[in-house]
Amino acid sequence: MLEDIGIIFIASALINNFVFSRYLGLCIFFGVTKRMETAIGMSITFTSVMVISAALSWLVYYIIMIPLNLGFLKIVIFIGIVSGFVQAADTIMKKVTPGLYYKLGIYLALIVTNCIILAVPLINASEKYNLLQSLTFGLGAGAGFSLALVIMASIRERLELADVPKSFEGLPISFVLTGLIALAFLGFSGMIPL
Amino acid sequence: MLNFRGGIHPPENKWFTEEKPIVDAKLPKKVVIPLSQHTGTPCKAIVTIGQDVKKGQRIGEPNGYVSSPVHSSISGKVISIGNFPHPSGKDSPSVVIEGDDRDEWSEGIKERPDYLSLGNDELRKIVMEAGIVGLGGAAFPTHIKLSPPKEKKIETVILNGAECEPYLTSDHRIMVERPNDVFEGLKIIMKILDVTKGYIGIEDNKPDAIETMKEIASSEPGIEVVALKVKYPQGAEKQLIKAILDGEVPSGGLPMDVGVVVQNVGTAVAVYDACRYGKPLIERIITVTGRGVNEPKNLRVRIGTPFSDLLAECGGFRNDPGKVIAGGPMMGIAQTTTEIPVIKGTSGIVVLTRKETEQVEYCPCFRCGRCIDACPMGLQPSILSILIERGRYQEAKENNLFDCFECGSCAYVCPAKRPMVQFMKLGKLFLSPKKG
Amino acid sequence: METKAEKREKQLLVSIGPHIGSEESIPRIMWAVSISLLPAFIISVYYFGLRAIAVVGVSVLSCVIFETITQKMLKKKVTISDGSAFLTGLLLGLNLPSSIPLYQPVIGSLVGIVITKHLFGGLGYNIFNPALIGRTFMLITWPRPMTTWYKPVAGITTMDAITTATPLGILKEDGIGKLIETFGDKMNLYINLFLGNRAGSLGETSVIVLLIGAAFLFYRGYITWHIPFSFVGTVMALTWIFGGKGGLFAGDPILHLLSGGLILGAFFMATDYVTAPAIRKAQIVFGIGVGALTVLIRLKGGYPEGVMFGILLMNCFSPLLDRAFKAIPFGTIKRK
Amino acid sequence: MREMLKIVISLFAIFVGAGLILSYVYAKTSTVIYNAQVREKEAALKKMSPEAEKINVAGKWLLYEKPNEYYEAKKGNKVISYIASTTGKGYSSYIKILVSTDPDLKIKAIDILSHSETPGLGDEIEKKDFKKQFEGKVLENIELLKVETKDKIQAISGATISSRAVTKGVKEAVKLLNEKYGKGLSKE
Amino acid sequence: MNEKINYWKIFKNGIFSENPVFRLALSLCPAVAVTSGVKNGFLMGVAVLFVQTMSNITVSIIRNFIHPKVRIPSYIFIIAAWVTVTDLMMAAYARDVYKEMGLYIQLIVAFAIILSRLESFASKKNVLPSGVDGLGMGFGFLIALVLIGFVRELLGKGALWGYQFTPTKPLLIMILPTGGFFVMGLLMGFFNWINRRFFGGKASADVHMEAHRHGSH
Ligand SMILES: Cc1cc2nc3c(=O)[nH]c(=O)nc-3n(C[C@H](O)[C@H](O)[C@H](O)COP(=O)(O)O)c2cc1C
Ligand SMILES: Cc1cc2nc3c(=O)[nH]c(=O)nc-3n(C[C@H](O)[C@H](O)[C@H](O)COP(=O)(O)O)c2cc1C
Ligand SMILES: Cc1cc2nc3c(=O)[nH]c(=O)nc-3n(C[C@H](O)[C@H](O)[C@H](O)COP(=O)(O)O)c2cc1C
Ligand SMILES: Cc1cc2nc3c(=O)[nH]c(=O)nc-3n(C[C@H](O)[C@H](O)[C@H](O)CO)c2cc1C
Ligand code: SF4
Ligand code: SF4
Ligand code: SF4
Ligand code: SF4
Ligand code: FES
């Protein structure tokens, strides 16, 4: 049981890292890693939203949709849950913790139309994870995504001072860089069969 | 051995002159005395062209608080007042005096065998009137150092006998030849500052100086002579304080923030000469050395003597001279001409051969980390230099650029031969308020 | 006489101090590291024959050629004389199996030099170790040739085609019993590993000659203890604790020390200035990280050896580590 | 208030409209999907025993906590083949395998249903040459060797882990069939 | 006549100057995730093309009915509906590829590009131009995916559209995640170079990306 949870966490964070081996969240990944500060803000926001929306979607999926045989509506409903939750979080944070809102609120807005958030409940549903597993998966994916963001931001800060050929500045070199990191992350492959 | 973090070990090259007693340089035919020989506002000239002056006569009046008078170093006639080359590299207002070979003292000079009974304010005034500034290189007016603000309680005086720059041996010779005067000077400084604890820090590569000084110190309560690890920049005051007292002068702060005043040993002797004999600062000891001169020497030199005179006295150039440096090879300033005068802050003239100073193209930093290890200020010179190279001055400032005191340790060790000090200067220049 | 002096004066150099510099320079360091690898190269020729010369030669040559071409194309100064491309090629070659088809190191060099190094701005700016990226690329692209090992046979021209597993491969597949059996007894195993009489990449097999090279680098001050010792120490500690089948503290750290690319990796590759952190404290953490990842992959991963991936993974973290362990300026009051 | 009502109506109408379209599409496609899934499974089983007229589930079993089934393939009333689905713990994935045996539990064929082993290495378990090795083997012979062999299974070089995973999965399945249908574990 | 040229322009816009992948750098995930082969890239492209076009048409038809305050939720809803349709259809009729790319089909709903077209174009224009805009964007996307798939399948498998024409796989790595990133990066750099070299243009999709991030939120 515990081992199972551990495996899901490691697998989702490292071996099947959303960015480096599943190609998810790339727009955000490339968009917010220019500066460390944004990368960290984004990490925190994303991880929390991923965990919470994993839980909400699980509840809705298994308590409402499956019994009513509405599984085919999962795309519609999950995106509804995610955007509803983000909207609510936005409103609540603004009222309750304006300081935090000021720091992280801008990132919240970016989340709604992002594939990585939606991917968590969808994968949870297709893997038929139970609630704890779903939460772990959300957390692992979030941790892996955060790791990716922070590494990338620190490398890109250094890269800003580098003498990259003109045509490759910006996105192209970031893609190549991500490919190299993904190559290094292949070291984790074969550790656990999935 | 007393030490600090960072630092480097360039070849010392002191053997040229360390055994050579100080000799008097020939009396110069003509001296060029800049009105700005100290940190702070330049003096106002108080002589006119054609006027006769005597040795020790004041020719420049201090102008403002941080300033210091200048005196004629020979007797003769003022032949010109105007801008002349200055070791700092810029032309600077100076008084030119043609000597009359008589070398007569001005009348005002009076000996005070009883100087110890004088009051502190009086002594301070003597130091000021004598135009004494730091002889260690920075040439900061000494009387100001000796008048700390009330809220800063000074507890310790350190005499800096480190002489960490390669080649230079003038402080070394002073300590060997005039040890008692050094002590007397120190005692005067301690008295002025009302301090009971004094140290004399000497790098371990001058065992004869350490021995001589220790001998005297054994009969001087409150004064301790300490041997320091041989390492550049052991003589930088923050590093010296760290090594001797384990105190860290806060970033952007001064020694007095940790209750310390640091003076060069030469300065101490000048203070003694002023108080005891009433002599203003008109001469100093300098080392003329390097593979580019024929006969390296330690010379007692009148302020204002042109480098060319001294080089001639040392047998002229030898080999293929590449650089003439006022000061040591680490922090000294390379000169375009030998027609510049010795000033109060000139601790030596080093002539390097062309081969020794060959310039190579520099490369990008390959992050070897040597400069980080070397920087005595705990900075990351590699990052600073890259930031400045890319024009990101503000970030350089956030990375403590202004803690850099341009000691050159980073540039010395850099295998990529990056002109680090140049970058640092450039960065500071861009960030200075004048540039916006 | 007079005029000569004046002429001299005109030629005086001026520049901002310091006016003297240490003797070290990039080429001096790069060539010295290359020389320190010479014993390893020679022993590889002894064990693997002329094939070793071919593999290393192709790697070096293609690295140098790619460096020239790329710098020409980017209109930069061609800097092959600084030895860094030579060194990358040398290390790449020494990291390959003797039987590799010779066109493959060319592609490995292309990836290492062009993509890993020059796309990122050339010497000093690359994030990843070029030689290791070249090798990883090859491993993933041609897994079979890259994991086919031949028995070493002493002699310059012999090329005995007996494939065999590497010690770590045997350890992973069949356990330590089989490994000891293969080599006779345990002492024999250690001795063979130490001398290099075992299958493996060309330059990694002989621990003794690698240590000689490393000693030279230490003596010259080109590498410091921080990375190699924390790396090797971590590997030994962790394999001792977790490496055994019969519970904790039953592993064989010496076996892990002597096999695989640990020594070559720890002293010659993890220490690459460009891709490791520059701050000493950060280097220790870097070394521990590489060590831990190496052990994780060796013991739990899909590959028998983890040094390469360990170094590359920690290369990702170098900028972060340098950031985290930023030097504290003199006289800064340390807050909490 | 009117505003609010308008919003609700607007959203609701879209919701209903979309719902209608989706239900229609779902109704149309769900049977197609279901049938396709059934057909795929049947086809896979049929491939294992082409002569069979009927293949029935005979039971379920677990391997590495993965659900598997075994089947009896009949022609008329006679069992002509046993089939089991099984799992191999591979290099980077769990490998889904089908095994069929003849009535005296000699392997007739194996098939790899799904896996995600490394392309170019582990995925060679799908190759005929490798799968063919299992044909005609009985329980005792299902063992992986890294050298050339006729009566055992030879590993794919460079993909020992994947080969072993398949071999072990098959062995477990045959062991299970032996328990269920064999006359004691070690027959003769 | 005039009309026609206009449509062509709208159509072309999505393919070249505002190519969603290479120029706008949006919807990058599928661009690398499903492009290990031409076929998958093509089908993904078709799926996006379908969803974009249908959503554009839907929105432009009912645009006067959508309440401006709930504009975004309505759009998301419409997109989600069309994605579900696509999802179900592919699950039913393209089963083998669906197994590989099902997740990414479902994630089409989150593509910023689709929403931003609805917001900036379809909600203001008539049915026909909206449809053409959708087609253009979709084609731009499709072409990009096919191009990436082409390079990766050719290098990685020595095959095209599943048809094998080398005995071995030349550069296996190209069909792994790593290879996807390399190909994307190298292609982008290459296009930038062409653009700079032959058209004197500024390249960098980055600029556009910034604009979009700030513009659309
Ligand atoms: C890098 C560096 C090295 C220095 N080394 C010495 C030295 O060896 N001896 C010395 O007297 N002053 C040295 N100084 C100057 C001292 O920091 C300090 O200004 C001086 O000791 C104060 O004494 P003064 O005012 O009598 O010159 C050095 C300064 C720097 C920046
Ligand atoms: C620095 C270095 C790193 C290496 N990294 C790896 C690696 O990550 N994976 C691998 O299979 N081989 C790697 N190799 C090659 C292996 O060490 C070795 O040739 C083979 O994997 C088994 O080695 P063994 O002799 O210890 O069993 C590396 C070699 C060196 C020198
Ligand atoms: C990139 C890469 C992928 C691998 N994938 C597999 C795999 O899918 N299946 C497998 O059995 N071994 C795989 N291996 C090889 C294993 O790590 C191990 O070396 C191999 O199974 C040992 O087989 P051998 O003894 O025949 O060399 C892979 C190795 C590498 C370098
Ligand atoms: C101690 C030391 C180790 C080095 N190790 C490597 C290495 O492992 N791989 C490599 O490509 N270059 C290595 N280099 C060479 C050089 O740093 C390398 O070419 C740069 O990474 C290219 O920018 C090394 C250099 C030194 C001084
Ligand atoms: S002035 Fe120069 S040589 Fe003298 S002590 Fe200071 S740094 Fe050393
Ligand atoms: S010059 Fe500045 S940065 Fe360089 S070592 Fe000296 S203090 Fe540090
Ligand atoms: S920091 Fe600059 S101004 Fe201050 S003492 Fe050093 S060199 Fe002189
Ligand atoms: S010493 Fe030179 S090459 Fe080394 S880190 Fe410092 S600046 Fe870079
Ligand atoms: S984040 Fe943009 S498509 Fe995934």
Side-chain angles (χ1 to χ4, degrees), chain C residues 29-30 33 84 87-88 91 117 122-124 126 129-131 222-223 268-269 271-275:
Chain C
I29 295 174
M30 293 295 173
V33 178
S84 79
L87 181 52
T88 296
L91 280 164
K117 185 173 171 187
L123 179 67
N126 50 306
N129 191 318
Y222 294 160
I223 57 178
F268 297 89
M269 308 197 77
T271 49
D272 174 19
Y273 300 152
V274 181
T275 55

Side-chain angles (χ1 to χ4, degrees), chain B residues 41 74 89 108 116 120 168 172 175 190 195 203 209 222 224 228 236 253 286 288 363 366 413 420 434-435:
Chain B
T41 16
I74 54 175
L116 278 177
N120 286 352
L168 305 187
H172 182 183
M175 289 185 286
M190 286 166 66
V195 160
E203 267 194 358
E224 200 177 319
L228 304 167
I286 74 168
V288 181
C363 310
F366 74 142
V413 293
M420 308 291 274
K434 268 171 266 161
K435 275 264 170 186

Side-chain angles (χ1 to χ4, degrees), chain E residues 98-168:
Chain E
Y98 183 77
K99 276 183 199 150
E100 269 181 64
M101 45 193 267
L103 177 65
Y104 297 94
I105 297 283
Q106 297 174 354
L107 290 178
I108 293 177
V109 69
F111 288 3
I113 178 69
I114 295 180
L115 189 65
S116 80
R117 279 339 270 180
L118 298 187
E119 174 86 343
S120 66
F121 201 96
S123 63
K124 300 182 189 116
K125 297 274 167 44
N126 280 329
V127 178
L128 206 51
S130 296
V132 173
D133 178 65
L135 278 175
M137 281 293 155
F139 262 111
F141 193 75
L142 189 144
I143 288 171
L145 261 64
V146 168
L147 185 64
I148 302 166
F150 176 84
V151 176
R152 290 181 67 190
E153 190 174 4
L154 192 64
L155 292 179
K157 293 188 192 144
L160 283 179
W161 199 276
Y163 175 74
Q164 188 79 27
F165 40 70
T166 57
T168 52

Side-chain angles (χ1 to χ4, degrees), chain B residues 375-377 379 381 404-410 424:
Chain B
C375 179
M377 294 308 288
L379 306 178
C404 164
F405 60 96
E406 298 168 17
C407 67
S409 301
C410 49
M424 307 298 164

